[in-house]
Structure formats: structure tokens, C-alpha cells
């Protein structure tokens, strides 16, 4: 099958997705460069994330409810601006790189700001700006990945990106741990090094990531047909109208439902310390277990999702999370909890974006992915607040039991609400 070249050429052959050729299995250079940017940025952000719960709870004496509020702010602001980032990235023929650069830049500026603030309101404000940057960059970055990859290999492409991203998440806590052991003013040293690494990530993005739509090859067919009246610069109304598409709507509803019962990473690590008695000096290393499992499993599970169905893999990831909750309740080994926690992310994070990419047209790719991400992030914001309140009122065991029951109910509902095209 041939399609006309957009510049008036003779046309280009489009491969049958059921018979991938030699190049169909390759990962686009844009994916690798974006993976490098994410690796560097995650070293920076996870250095802060690894020490922040202990800094706030042990250092500043914050209660679980107070930490839940701050953690909710940390994730909630990301949810509020994802739609804006996705919409802005789709305008003007695709400004994905520009919007992503603004997002990465905002987060980089916030790292040195943590050196200057020491009260909870100011720390909350800095974290809110940091998460605004994350919200702006996430949908444009994922749109660049999907637009530069063939539909039948998007699970693998997102798996490669998430594996590189997680390599940074693996290195970040380790760097923070080493700094805390060597530096007299440990937290300030962590924030200083983090700001320098974040600036390097922005530089790599500006210099090496292609502009526009990320160099999407002409051979990659549109994953969903654009309507005849689609404007060159999509309106916000057109972006929101994607929810009229059955698969987009169901993906968003299911991601939101499951997000409502997902305990935030910070609470998982605090639960491990509280229930298993992990010493404070080892706390910064706990995210390493999650990151290591994520790194090892992201690519294999992404490839498996391309074969067995992305929706099935997404649900299987939440089963792994439910098992992690069960081990926490049973005082199971910490390494097993962290392994299941990492497997949950490997089976859901990039896989959900690969599934959503199939349901939205190219010209609204950023906005479509942002819709799904916003539903999930908003739900996790609410879950963080609720879990912090439940822990404060009833204790950690009752709070975690409630979260496990809620996850079971939401997973059953998601089975019935699954998209018609559940690949």
C-alpha cells in the first residue's frame, strides 16, 4: 500500500502492521534522545524525591496527614496543567519540543529554590511549580515518542524510554545517599547537585531532540483517522471532544478509577520504614529497589504488551501492586515489596500511553495523551490526601487495608469498562 508524499512526491510504502519488516523493530533516534533527557532529569528529581519524605516527616516533624497534603500538592499541580501542556504542544503543527523544554526548564529552576526556602508553605509553593513543569512536559514528550514510532512497536518504544528514565531514578537515590553520608549539610548539598544535573538535562533536550513532531517517519500510518474538519491549530474544544471517542473515554475512566486506589511512592517507602523498621540512614535507598525492578522489566513487559495486548498488561500491573500491598500488610520482605512495586510501574506507565496512542489522531496526540494522564494524576492526588488522612485517623494498617480493598473493587470495574480495542 502506498500513500502520497506530503511534498508531492511519488509516494511511500506503508508496511502492514501484521508483518513488521526489519526496521519495524528498531527504536527511533528521537526515543533514545528523549530517554537520555529523562535519565538525566530523573537523576536530579529522584535525588530530591528520595530525601524529601524523611526531610519533611523526620526533619520538620510533619504528620502523615500534613505529608499527604504536601504530597497531594506535589502531584496535583502536575494533573492540573497536563491538559494545557498537551493542547499547547498540538498547536501550530506540533510544538512538542518547545512545550516540553519549558516544562523541563521550570523543574530545573525549582531545584536551587529549595536551598532558599525552609517553611512548609514556601516548600509547598516550590514543589507546586516543579510539578507544573512536569505536567507541561509529560504529554508533549510522550507524544513525540508515539509519533516517531510505528504503531505496532509503541509498547517497545515506551518500554525503552521508561527503562532509560528509570535508570535515572535508580541513580538519583544512590547519589543522594552518598551525598548525605559525606556532606555536613546533607540536604542542601543534595539540592545543589540536583539543580546542576537538571540544567544538563534541559541542555541535552534543546541541542539534540528534533523539533516539531519529533521526526515522525512518513511510513508510520496515523493510528486513528483525523476528522475532515480538523483545524491546523486544534482548539481546546476539539481536544476535550476526544472524550466522545469510546476508547479514549474508557481508557480515561479506567485510569482514573485505578489511580484512586494507588498509594503514592512516598507513602510506600514510609510504610516500609514504619512497618519493617528501616533505619533513617538507609531510607534514601528504598526507591532503588523499585527503580531496579522497573529498569529490568520495562522493555520486556513493553514488548510483551505489544503481543498479548496492552490493556491486559495494564491490568496485570495493578495485580502486582495489590500483591505488594498484601506483603506490606503481612510484614513480608522489603525486597519482594519493592520488586512488585517496580513491576507495577513497568507494566502500566508506558503501556498505558502506548494504548492511548492508538485511540487518538496524530494532530491531537498531545491533548489525547494528556486527557488520560490528567484523569490518572488527579485521582492519585485525591488518593494521596485520602491515604494521609486515613493513616492519621486509623493507623497505617487500616489505611493500607482500605487501599487494597479499593484497588480490588476498581480493578473489577476496569475489567468491565475496558476499551473495545483493548490492545
Amino acid at each position: 500500500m502506498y500513500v502520497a508524499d506530503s511534498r508531492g512526491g511519488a509516494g511511500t510504502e506503508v508496511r502492514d502492521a501484521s508483518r513488521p519488516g526489519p526496521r519495524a523493530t528498531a527504536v527511533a533516534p528521537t526515543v533514545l534522545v528523549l530517554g537520555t533527557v529523562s535519565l538525566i532529569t530523573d537523576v536530579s528529581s529522584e535525588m530530591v524525591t528520595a530525601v524529601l519524605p524523611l526531610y519533611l516527616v523526620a526533619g520538620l516533624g510533619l504528620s502523615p496527614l500534613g505529608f499527604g497534603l504536601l504530597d497531594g500538592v506535589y502531584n496535583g499541580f502536575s494533573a492540573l496543567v497536563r491538559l494545557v501542556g498537551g493542547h499547547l504542544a498540538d498547536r501550530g503543527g506540533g510544538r512538542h519540543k518547545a512545550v516540553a523544554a519549558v516544562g523541563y526548564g521550570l523543574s530545573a529552576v525549582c531545584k536551587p529554590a529549595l536551598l532558599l526556602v525552609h517553611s512548609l508553605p514556601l516548600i509547598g509553593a516550590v514543589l507546586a511549580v516543579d510539578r507544573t513543569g512536569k505536567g507541561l512536559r509529560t504529554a508533549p514528550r510522550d507524544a513525540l515518542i508515539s509519533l516517531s514510532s510505528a504503531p505496532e512497536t509503541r509498547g517497545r518504544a515506551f518500554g525503552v524510554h521508561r527503562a532509560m528514565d528509570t535508570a535515572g531514578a535508580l541513580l538519583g537515590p544512590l547519589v543522594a545517599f552518598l551525598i548525605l553520608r559525606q556532606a555536613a549539610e546533607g540536604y542542601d548539598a543534595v539540592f545543589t547537585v540536583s539543580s546542576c544535573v537538571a540544567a544538563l538535562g534541559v541542555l541535552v533536550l534543546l541541542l539534540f531532540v528534533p523539533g516539531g513532531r519529533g521526526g515522525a517517519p512518513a511510513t508510520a500510518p496515523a493510528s486513528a483517522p483525523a476528522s475532515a474538519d480538523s483545524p491546523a491549530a486544534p482548539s481546546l474544544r476539539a481536544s476535550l471532544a476526544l472524550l466522545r471517542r469510546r476508547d479514549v473515554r474508557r481508557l480515561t475512566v479506567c485510569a482514573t478509577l485505578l489511580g484512586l486506589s494507588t498509594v503514592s511512592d512516598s507513602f510506600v517507602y514510609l510504610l516500609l520504614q514504619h512497618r519493617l523498621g528501616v533505619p533513617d540512614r538507609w531510607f534514601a535507598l528504598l526507591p532503588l529497589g523499585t527503580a531496579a525492578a522497573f529498569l529490568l522489566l520495562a522493555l520486556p513487559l513493553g514488548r510483551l504488551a505489544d503481543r498479548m495486548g496492552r490493556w491486559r498488561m495494564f491490568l496485570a500491573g495493578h495485580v502486582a501492586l495489590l500483591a505488594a500491598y498484601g506483603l506490606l500488610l503481612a510484614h513480608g520482605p522489603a525486597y519482594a515489596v519493592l520488586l512488585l512495586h517496580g513491576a507495577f510501574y513497568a507494566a502500566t506507565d508506558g503501556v498505558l500511553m502506548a494504548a492511548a496512542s492508538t485511540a487518538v489522531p496524530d494532530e491531537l496526540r498531545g491533548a489525547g495523551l494528556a486527557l488520560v494522564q490528567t484523569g490518572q494524576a488527579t485521582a492519585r492526588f485525591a488518593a494521596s490526601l485520602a491515604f494521609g488522612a486515613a493513616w492519621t485517623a486509623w493507623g497505617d494498617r487500616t489505611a493500607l487495608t482500605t487501599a487494597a480493598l479499593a484497588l480490588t473493587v476498581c480493578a473489577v470495574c476496569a475489567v468491565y469498562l475496558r476499551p473495545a480495542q483493548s490492545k
Side-chain angles (χ1 to χ4, degrees):
M1 174 177 149
Y2 286 79
V3 294
D5 187 278
S6 59
R7 296 166 294 182
T12 308
E13 184 177 359
V14 177
R15 294 189 183 277
D16 184 350
S18 64
R19 294 182 300 166
R23 292 188 178 181
T25 59
V27 175
T30 298
V31 176
L32 297 177
V33 178
L34 284 169
T36 302
V37 173
S38 292
L39 188 156
I40 296 170
T41 302
D42 253 34
V43 170
S44 170
S45 61
E46 292 302 321
M47 286 175 64
V48 175
T49 301
V51 302
L52 197 61
L54 193 63
Y55 175 60
L56 295 173
V57 175
L60 300 183
L62 202 61
S63 70
L65 175 58
F67 180 75
L69 288 170
L70 201 56
D71 191 61
V73 168
Y74 192 62
N75 294 292
F77 269 80
S78 173
L80 291 175
V81 298
R82 285 180 193 237
L83 280 176
V84 176
H87 172 65
L88 291 176
D90 289 334
R91 295 183 64 82
R95 298 173 181 169
H96 302 92
K97 176 182 176 179
V99 176
V102 171
Y104 280 108
L106 275 177
S107 294
V109 168
C110 288
K111 301 304 188 299
L114 287 171
L115 292 166
L116 306 176
V117 297
H118 300 287
S119 66
L120 290 180
L122 290 178
I123 291 174
V126 171
L127 294 180
V129 176
D130 177 73
R131 292 298 91 180
T132 298
K134 180 176 176 60
L136 281 175
R137 72 181 184 247
T138 300
R141 180 204 65 200
D142 286 348
L144 283 169
I145 294 171
S146 68
L147 289 167
S148 62
S149 306
E152 68 273 11
T153 62
R154 282 181 186 144
R156 176 180 307 186
F158 276 101
V160 168
H161 174 268
R162 293 321 196 247
M164 296 180 72
D165 180 274
T166 308
L170 187 67
L171 292 172
L174 182 59
V175 174
F177 171 75
L178 294 175
I179 291 173
L180 286 176
R181 287 182 63 88
Q182 298 297 325
E185 297 294 333
Y187 292 117
D188 285 351
V190 169
F191 298 152
T192 300
V193 175
S194 174
S195 63
C196 296
V197 176
L200 177 61
V202 176
L203 186 63
V204 172
L205 173 74
L206 293 175
L207 293 179
F208 298 107
V209 174
R213 294 180 179 272
T219 56
S223 55
S227 59
D229 58 350
S230 294
S235 67
L236 185 58
R237 179 178 297 180
S239 300
L240 293 174
L242 286 170
L243 288 174
R244 296 175 186 170
R245 295 172 178 255
R246 184 181 182 187
D247 280 358
V248 175
R249 183 172 63 251
R250 289 195 170 193
L251 272 171
T252 304
V253 170
C254 290
T256 301
L257 270 177
L258 291 166
L260 285 171
S261 52
T262 301
V263 176
S264 77
D265 296 357
S266 296
F267 273 126
V268 170
Y269 304 138
L270 285 172
L271 283 165
L272 277 170
Q273 186 199 35
H274 188 256
R275 298 186 66 79
L276 301 181
V278 177
D280 287 356
R281 66 180 181 276
W282 300 109
F283 183 86
L285 293 181
L286 289 177
L288 291 177
T290 296
F294 193 172
L295 175 64
L296 293 173
L297 296 174
L299 180 54
L301 293 185
R303 296 177 64 180
L304 184 59
D306 285 334
R307 297 188 186 126
M308 67 174 276
R310 293 157 189 164
W311 182 248
R312 292 174 185 168
M313 181 61 69
F314 184 69
L315 287 178
H318 285 85
V319 173
L321 181 62
L322 185 60
Y325 291 172
L327 281 179
L328 272 171
L329 289 169
H331 294 274
Y335 70 85
V337 174
L338 295 173
L339 175 62
L340 289 168
H341 197 227
F344 157 68
Y345 278 113
T348 59
D349 191 14
V351 170
L352 177 61
M353 291 298 96
S357 297
T358 306
V360 296
D362 286 359
E363 71 275 10
L364 291 172
R365 186 62 52 80
L369 297 186
L371 278 173
V372 180
Q373 292 169 352
T374 297
Q376 184 182 59
T378 304
R380 289 182 176 178
F381 165 71
S384 184
L385 296 179
F387 189 84
W391 186 344
T392 301
W394 305 323
D396 60 338
R397 182 176 182 83
T398 302
L400 187 57
T401 301
T402 303
L405 291 174
L407 179 57
T408 303
V409 172
C410 291
V412 171
C413 292
V415 170
Y416 287 98
L417 291 173
R418 67 185 182 276
Q421 297 179 352
S422 53
K423 285 199 65 160

